Each structure stands twice: as structure tokens, then as C-alpha cells.
Amino acid sequence: MAAETANKRIVLRNYVTGFPKESDMEILATGTAPSRVPEGTAGAVLVKNMYLSYDPYMRGRMSKHEEPSYVDDFVIGEAR
């Protein structure tokens, strides 16, 4: 069995109006993720994210829109 480590998710807490604020997002420490590649998985690589950034296009997804857009709005409470 592969070793596991705690996994964090960042979820949208509130739809954003104006500039995004730290309080619009929430870090949840839920679940686990493997901490090494399982044996017998030739050529596999395990990647750990060190930093998270939001690209400019994501700002539009963080707002609630009355009219549909080419991409759906983020859902409050779901990790993406």
C-alpha cells in the first residue's frame, strides 16, 4: 500500500464582486493523496504543487452571471 499524506483543497466561499479577497476562498484540509508513486507504475511521476495562482480568465468564473458565458461559473464549495 502506498503511503498517503493530507490533501488540501481551495474552494470558492463567496462569489466575487470587485477585487477578489482572501475571505472569498477557503482552504480545506480534507482527504488524502499518495505521497509516493505506487510500485509497479513504470514511468510515473508524482507532482506536488508548491504554489497556486489564479489566471485572469478565472476571475470571470468567480462571479455569478445571470446570462450564460462560454464557460460555467465556479460552484461555491467545490474545488477546481
Side-chain angles (χ1 to χ4, degrees):
M1 175 179 267
E4 295 187 337
T5 187
N7 190 36
K8 294 180 185 174
R9 301 182 307 146
I10 297 179
V11 298
L12 189 64
R13 185 182 221 182
N14 305 302
Y15 285 114
V16 175
T17 56
F19 287 105
K21 302 178 294 300
E22 189 173 335
S23 61
D24 292 326
M25 289 157 253
E26 183 175 12
I27 298 174
L28 302 175
T30 59
T32 59
S35 58
R36 62 183 149 159
V37 175
E39 289 184 31
T41 314
V45 176
L46 183 67
V47 177
K48 178 180 180 180
N49 289 333
M50 302 300 288
Y51 297 96
L52 175 74
S53 70
Y54 282 99
D55 295 327
Y57 100 95
M58 295 173 78
R59 171 56 185 87
R61 295 188 70 192
M62 296 167 69
S63 299
K64 184 68 175 164
H65 294 93
E66 297 300 322
E67 297 292 323
S69 179
Y70 69 97
V71 64
D72 293 335
D73 298 337
F74 284 136
V75 177
I76 300 245
E78 287 188 11
R80 292 284 177 170

